[in-house]
Each structure stands twice: as structure tokens, then as C-alpha cells.
Amino acid sequence: PYTEGIADEGTKPETPTSWTGQYVRGFSNRGSYVYRLAFSPDGTTLATTGEDSTVKLWDWHEGTLIKQITGFPRQTTGIAWTLDNRGLIVGTDRGYAIWGVSDGVKLNDLTGSNSGHFAALSHDGEFVAVNDGQITKIFEVTTGRIDQSRNCSGPIRNGRWGAFSPSDRYLAVAGDTLR
């Protein structure tokens, strides 16, 4: 079976150069590829998405499966946690939605999002950037609406990864190009 490996952060996690690179644990995904993963803001849970059309929540300390969220139309791709640990922003090839962690129920669609390749949450937790492979859109997390004042100009071909700068002033998107 396909297994994710996690590297040890070492004795001083605040200093990236101190990482030991030692294998800590694996999480068995029973033969299904994992596309994206994200730690919860409190660091206790790891969420994974994959080709099996589920989101799996893993206890980081024990390495055990806590919960599996189903109900997605196809493969789950992009993922990001809300800052309060209670919501997951999940992308599929049909768009993005915010799902409740405790009950696995869809809370809100991100209306206007298409297929999902990545989800990047702003550091203040107010916005999420999503990309459908061509266009990056920024949504308000609380309303699920596109923030028209933060439109991203210029397409990114095959946009697969994105990250907000620490100040949330900039958004980097990478695919076949970097903007």
C-alpha cells in the first residue's frame, strides 16, 4: 500500500536547518494516492486528500485514522484548514466547499470556483485562494463569496501550489510558471 512518510523536525523546530530528516511514521492509505495534505492549525491532526474521493483525518501523535469524510463527487485535491480547526476547505474537480470537521457536513460552497488544484489560506484566516489549473480566485472564508477587490491577473498554466506571504499582501502561485 501507498504510505506517506513524515520527517522528524529535530530538537529545535523553529530552526528549519535543525531538521534531522529521520523517518518518524507512516500513514497507510490502502493503495490510494494522496494528492495534498495539511496540518491542522493546532498541529494535532493531519488531513489528506486523494484519488479515493475522501478526506482522511489522522491523529498526528498516534498515526491512526480518526475520521474519513465522504460525499465528494470525485477525487479530492486541494485542502486547507480554517484557523479555528473546525472547517476544511476541500477542492474536487467540481469546485471547492467548506466542510465541517466534527460532522463531515458541507457548510458552504465557494461559488464560482471550478476544479480544485490547491487551496491556500491567508494567515489571518479571512481569505482562501484556490486555483482551477488556469485562474486563481480569492474567496472570503466566512461568506464563500469571491473577493472582487483581490482579483488575480494573469493566468498560471497548471497552477498547482499557492501560498500567501506572512503579511497576506502577496500570493505566490506556481505551476508551469511562477507569479
Side-chain angles (χ1 to χ4, degrees), residues 4-8 21-27 37 39 46 60:
E4 300 105 51
I6 306 298
D8 180 12
Q22 297 294 315
Y23 181 85
V24 175
R25 71 179 49 84
F27 297 86
L37 47 86
F39 273 107
L46 184 69
W60 165 243

Side-chain angles (χ1 to χ4, degrees), residues 63-108:
T64 55
L65 183 65
I66 300 169
K67 179 182 288 190
Q68 184 168 299
I69 301 174
T70 60
F72 302 99
R74 300 226 180 132
Q75 301 170 0
T76 52
T77 51
I79 191 162
W81 288 83
T82 59
L83 287 185
D84 61 8
N85 283 334
R86 294 188 287 178
L88 283 166
I89 302 154
V90 180
T92 70
D93 65 351
R94 302 235 173 119
Y96 277 88
I98 301 174
W99 293 73
V101 171
S102 64
D103 57 10
V105 172
K106 185 175 10 175
L107 304 174
N108 203 357

